[in-house]
């Protein structure tokens, strides 16, 4: 555990610092804030790739979805803890430099802006650290590695979300790449963050010879409650993505009239 925490504590801040340094060297015309923001998204994408890969490996190694064990299900959670702490600080650092470039240095204003702009993501990180980590590491006992692996694969959409934000930052919303990436974002988000939950219920039902409709009544009540809390923000974020996608392919009024 301690070794994994130590490696995570070195890997994510180190990758962030290296990415920022490399971007400053490669694009000296960019502001420091631009480099920081892109670096945070690169690190988020790297974490997402590692989490998704770990999840797929766990899923394929757990033939019995209830009792089979695989070491990555516990170790990657410890690797994820430093990322959550790093990402919370990185978001604040970005806000600090953004405000600094606007010549507003009041620390209270910066902190209020930080909380206001990132309240959903901060809440997400706090819930993971204070609730999901204890559940994944202790409270679930010796069962459920398969389902932990499934949760890890929810990160598959993150690199596409990050690329979309980078393209917006670089003012490339008009490009074909941005539109294709938008479609991939919606597809991966829907499959790995919405359909993931029916998949887990169906997998359990198949293991226990139950129909998917029987599963919610045969598993512990707190499992259903936990899944509701997990899927609720995903549905909200997916609705936001759909709204953006609806405007993505809108034809400008001038073109419609022409």
């Amino acid at each position: 555990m301690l070794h994994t925490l130590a490696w995570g504590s070195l890997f994510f801040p180190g990758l962030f610092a290296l990415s920022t340094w490399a971007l400053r060297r490669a694009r000296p015309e960019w502001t420091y804030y631009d480099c920081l923001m892109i670096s945070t998204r690169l690190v988020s994408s790297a974490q997402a790739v590692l989490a998704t890969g770990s999840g797929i490996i766990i899923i394929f190694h757990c033939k019995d979805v209830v009792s089979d064990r695989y070491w990555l299900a516990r170790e990657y959670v410890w690797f994820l803890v430093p990322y959550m702490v790093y990402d919370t600080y990185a978001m604040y650092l970005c806000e600090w430099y953004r405000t600094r470039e606007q010549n507003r240095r009041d620390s209270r204003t910066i902190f209020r802006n930080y909380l206001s702009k990132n309240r959903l993501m901060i809440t997400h990180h706090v819930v993971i650290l204070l609730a999901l980590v204890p559940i994944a590491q202790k409270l679930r006992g010796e069962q459920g590695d398969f389902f932990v692996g499934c949760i890890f694969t929810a990160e598959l959409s993150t690199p596409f979300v990050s690329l979309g934000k980078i393209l917006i930052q670089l003012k490339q919303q008009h490009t074909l790449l941005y539109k294709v990436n938008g479609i991939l974002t919606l597809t991966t988000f829907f499959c790995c963050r919405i359909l993931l939950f029916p998949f887990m219920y169906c997998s359990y039902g198949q293991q226990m010879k139950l129909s998917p409709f029987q599963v919610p009544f045969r598993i512990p009540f707190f499992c259903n409650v936990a899944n509701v809390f997990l899927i609720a923000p995903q549905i909200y974020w997916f609705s936001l993505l759909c709204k953006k996608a609806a405007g993505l392919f809108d034809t400008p009024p001038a073109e419609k009239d022409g």
Side-chain angles (χ1 to χ4, degrees):
M1 177 191 79
L2 293 178
H3 283 87
T4 307
L5 285 170
W7 277 113
S9 300
L10 290 173
F11 178 77
F12 294 113
L15 181 59
F16 176 69
L18 179 62
S19 300
T20 304
W21 174 83
L23 288 170
R24 291 288 286 170
R25 297 270 303 202
R27 292 290 186 269
E29 69 276 13
W30 288 357
T31 66
Y32 198 58
Y33 167 73
D34 288 334
C35 295
L36 287 175
M37 286 299 294
I38 292 176
S39 294
T40 60
R41 284 153 188 164
L42 291 175
V43 176
S44 295
S45 298
Q47 190 282 133
V49 170
L50 291 173
T52 303
S54 299
I56 292 172
I57 292 171
I58 294 166
I59 289 170
F60 277 100
H61 275 82
C62 294
K63 305 303 181 184
D64 187 312
V65 303
V66 177
S67 60
D68 277 1
R69 309 298 310 283
Y70 193 69
W71 63 272
L72 263 178
R74 291 190 183 274
E75 286 303 310
Y76 194 80
V77 173
W78 293 127
F79 193 66
L80 186 64
V81 168
Y83 169 78
M84 293 297 167
V85 177
Y86 141 80
D87 195 48
T88 303
Y89 174 73
M91 289 189 294
Y92 176 77
L93 190 64
C94 291
E95 181 61 26
W96 193 87
Y97 273 96
R98 185 188 71 83
T99 308
R100 181 185 177 188
E101 289 175 5
Q102 296 174 356
N103 296 318
R104 295 183 358 235
R105 304 191 180 203
D106 179 41
S107 59
R108 287 176 297 180
T109 301
I110 294 173
F111 190 68
R112 281 197 300 266
N113 289 342
Y114 163 69
L115 292 178
S116 175
K117 290 180 62 178
N118 301 287
R119 59 183 179 275
L120 192 58
M121 191 58 68
I122 293 171
T123 302
H124 175 257
H125 286 6
V126 170
V127 169
I128 287 177
L129 290 174
L130 299 184
L132 296 186
V133 169
I135 290 172
Q137 300 298 71
K138 296 293 182 183
L139 300 181
R140 68 186 176 91
E142 301 297 316
Q143 296 181 329
D145 282 11
F146 173 86
F147 300 107
V148 173
C150 289
I151 297 298
F152 286 164
T153 63
E155 290 292 316
L156 180 61
S157 62
T158 299
F160 301 105
V161 174
S162 296
L163 177 57
K165 291 180 177 178
I166 290 173
L167 292 172
I168 290 173
Q169 188 171 337
L170 299 178
K171 296 179 173 58
Q172 297 296 309
Q173 300 97 312
H174 61 283
T175 61
L176 177 61
L177 175 60
Y178 182 78
K179 293 184 177 182
V180 171
N181 183 72
I183 295 172
L184 291 174
T185 300
L186 281 175
T187 303
T188 53
F189 198 101
F190 182 71
C191 290
C192 294
R193 296 205 179 205
I194 306 296
L195 293 184
L196 173 68
F197 293 90
F199 169 75
M200 291 193 292
Y201 277 76
C202 288
S203 298
Y204 182 85
Q206 186 176 21
Q207 178 79 40
M208 297 299 178
K209 304 295 190 294
L210 301 170
S211 75
F213 302 103
Q214 293 176 302
V215 172
F217 304 100
R218 300 294 183 90
I219 62 177
F221 177 72
F222 76 87
C223 291
N224 290 314
V225 173
N227 285 331
V228 169
F229 275 102
L230 286 172
I231 197 173
Q234 312 307 327
I235 293 174
Y236 172 72
W237 282 324
F238 185 68
S239 69
L240 295 181
L241 289 174
C242 288
K243 287 179 182 178
K244 289 183 179 179
L248 187 63
F249 296 98
D250 277 352
T251 305
E255 293 183 18
K256 290 180 181 178
D257 295 337

